[in-house]
Amino acid sequence: MVSTLFPSAFFFFFFFFFVCSPISLFFCNASAALLESLPTLSFEEGYTQLFGGGNLILLRDGKRVRISLDERTGAGFASQDLYLHGFFSASIKLPADYAAGVVVAFYMSNGDVFPKTHDELDFEFLGNIRGREWRVQTNVYGNGSTAVGREERYELWFDPTEDFHRYSILWNHKRIIFYIDDIPIRETARSEAMRGCFPSKPMSLYSTIWDASGWATSGGRYKVNYRYAPYVAEFQDLVIHGCAVNPMDHSSACERPSAATYGSSTMSPEQRAQMDGVRRKHMTYYYCYDRDRYPIPPAECKTDQIETRQYYGPDGVRYGGHRRRRRGGRRNRSSVAQADAAQ
């Protein structure tokens, strides 16, 4: 089933894609106001349950979704449609207290449709032992390129268990931008260097909570302790503003020539300075600086050798504090996760 946009939603869809060029909320002067005005969906309007049975509960007329992990199962839900480009967002509140081994994910993927050449855009939230913070990491896969993990990991500048915070993904044919509370934290631009590794096929949107004891906290040293279960994550302010495609032939009205405007915008100097500040202060792992893993950095990396020597170790982890945690991708973690064990 391909979603149709009701009139108010259509106005914002048109404004973002064809006036602001593209939908990114930071790429036009009225961005903040438009973000607040974007229509949110109830669960029934845009999502379907993936797994978890009674571990998924709808609240506030379906405007809030509660998913939990216990000794029986985790839980998850997904968009009803596949999308080719768009803006996708949710406000999320993470489990409190001891949460080692727990992963909450908000991501896009088409692995069920293209198992050998799948694309993926990840927000993954990694639980920790009591007294240590949740971490968030982003990743980008294209065309089945899981052998090259493009992970970036960040410490959060707030407690994600006390209140809801907004996490968003902008994806168009030229760039991908990840946001936290409407602040851009990462941009991945399509380039000749990336070649087919830039996500280019329709994807679904997923939200899950699951047991990742084998790698999520200190390389698997600390595992989920079900004495603290259930681990509860809540999602609200659900936004899907994108190009829904026909599930049979993947055609979309957004594929018309005028859709080329999606990738024509750039961040303003103020927005880029904001992103650079977050990355400078809060990024704790950068795959481009991981010389142990990539003696020759992936082709798209433009590394600052001075910064590498001053601030990052040969494993790509930023010096300082106890924040030395890494991963090796949802499916290929072996070499990267080992660094966590030294924590």
Side-chain angles (χ1 to χ4, degrees):
M1 179 184 69
V2 179
S3 296
T4 58
L5 298 175
F6 42 89
S8 61
F10 178 80
F11 168 77
F12 292 105
F13 181 87
F14 179 85
F15 190 91
F16 269 75
F17 277 81
F18 301 105
V19 179
C20 288
S21 214
I23 60 174
S24 172
L25 306 174
F26 288 95
F27 296 159
C28 55
N29 293 333
S31 59
L34 284 173
L35 174 62
E36 296 175 359
S37 302
L38 277 174
T40 60
L41 298 176
S42 67
F43 184 87
E44 292 83 357
E45 289 174 317
Y47 296 89
T48 185
Q49 183 169 0
L50 277 178
F51 67 100
N55 283 17
L56 186 150
I57 299 174
L58 302 182
L59 304 170
R60 298 187 178 181
D61 297 322
K63 290 289 187 176
R64 179 178 292 182
V65 186
R66 177 177 294 170
I67 56 176
S68 61
L69 168 68
D70 57 28
E71 59 275 8
R72 297 178 299 106
T73 184
F77 58 100
S79 60
Q80 296 173 8
D81 295 323
L82 289 162
Y83 295 89
L84 181 63
H85 306 146
F87 183 82
F88 309 90
S89 182
S91 295
I92 305 171
K93 185 178 180 182
L94 297 175
D97 204 1
Y98 182 99
V102 177
V103 170
V104 176
F106 177 68
Y107 67 103
M108 304 191 72
S109 178
N110 51 29
D112 57 336
V113 181
F114 304 101
K116 295 183 179 180
T117 60
H118 90 285
D119 306 301
E120 192 168 318
L121 303 173
D122 293 341
F123 266 116
E124 286 189 317
F125 306 91
L126 311 182
N128 216 328
I129 60 175
R130 184 182 288 123
R132 291 196 178 182
E133 306 90 344
W134 280 80
R135 309 295 171 78
V136 60
Q137 65 185 16
T138 61
N139 208 341
V140 175
Y141 292 125
N143 201 34
S145 59
T146 55
V148 180
R150 293 179 169 84
E151 301 90 345
E152 294 183 3
R153 183 173 292 183
Y154 324 84
E155 62 183 20
L156 293 169
W157 51 97
F158 52 82
D159 185 343
T161 72
E162 289 186 346
D163 204 351
F164 288 88
H165 292 268
R166 182 187 295 268
Y167 306 90
S168 309
I169 300 170
L170 166 71
W171 170 43
N172 60 52
H173 79 292
K174 284 193 174 181
R175 58 180 43 83
I176 298 155
I177 303 177
F178 294 84
Y179 303 86
I180 297 178
D181 285 335
D182 309 328
I183 298 171
I185 65 165
R186 176 178 185 173
E187 177 185 36
T188 298
R190 188 177 201 137
S191 66
E192 181 62 28
M194 286 196 75
R195 298 182 180 179
C197 295
F198 189 91
S200 59
K201 298 184 292 296
M203 291 189 278
S204 297
L205 181 66
Y206 295 89
S207 301
T208 59
I209 184 170
W210 51 291
D211 184 333
S213 291
W215 65 270
T217 308
S218 297
R221 177 182 177 187
Y222 300 106
K223 304 184 185 303
V224 174
N225 187 334
Y226 286 105
R227 289 184 299 173
Y228 298 96
Y231 297 96
V232 176
E234 293 186 297
F235 292 71
Q236 64 180 25
D237 304 324
L238 306 173
V239 173
I240 296 179
H241 232 63
C243 303
V245 303
N246 186 307
M248 301 303 295
D249 60 10
H250 298 163
S251 62
S252 170
C254 299
E255 294 173 354
R256 53 185 176 272
S258 58
T261 59
Y262 296 174
S264 64
S265 64
T266 59
M267 288 191 222
S268 70
E270 293 80 7
Q271 294 149 6
R272 191 164 296 281
Q274 191 178 38
M275 181 179 72
D276 290 345
V278 168
R279 295 172 66 80
R280 186 172 57 254
K281 294 177 182 178
H282 300 287
M283 188 166 69
T284 60
Y285 171 78
Y286 186 29
Y287 75 98
C288 285
Y289 290 162
D290 193 339
R291 288 164 285 165
D292 290 346
R293 189 180 179 194
Y294 302 122
I296 300 176
E300 74 273 10
C301 291
K302 297 179 181 179
T303 58
D304 183 329
Q305 297 301 324
I306 295 177
E307 182 180 52
T308 304
R309 289 195 297 269
Q310 289 182 342
Y311 301 114
Y312 289 84
D315 56 1
V317 178
R318 189 180 181 93
Y319 293 126
H322 65 265
R323 298 180 172 91
R324 297 184 59 80
R325 302 177 54 197
R326 303 161 56 195
R327 65 164 280 198
R330 187 184 306 274
R331 296 162 185 82
N332 297 280
R333 299 183 168 84
S334 55
S335 62
V336 181
Q338 292 173 1
D340 287 347
Q343 203 173 23

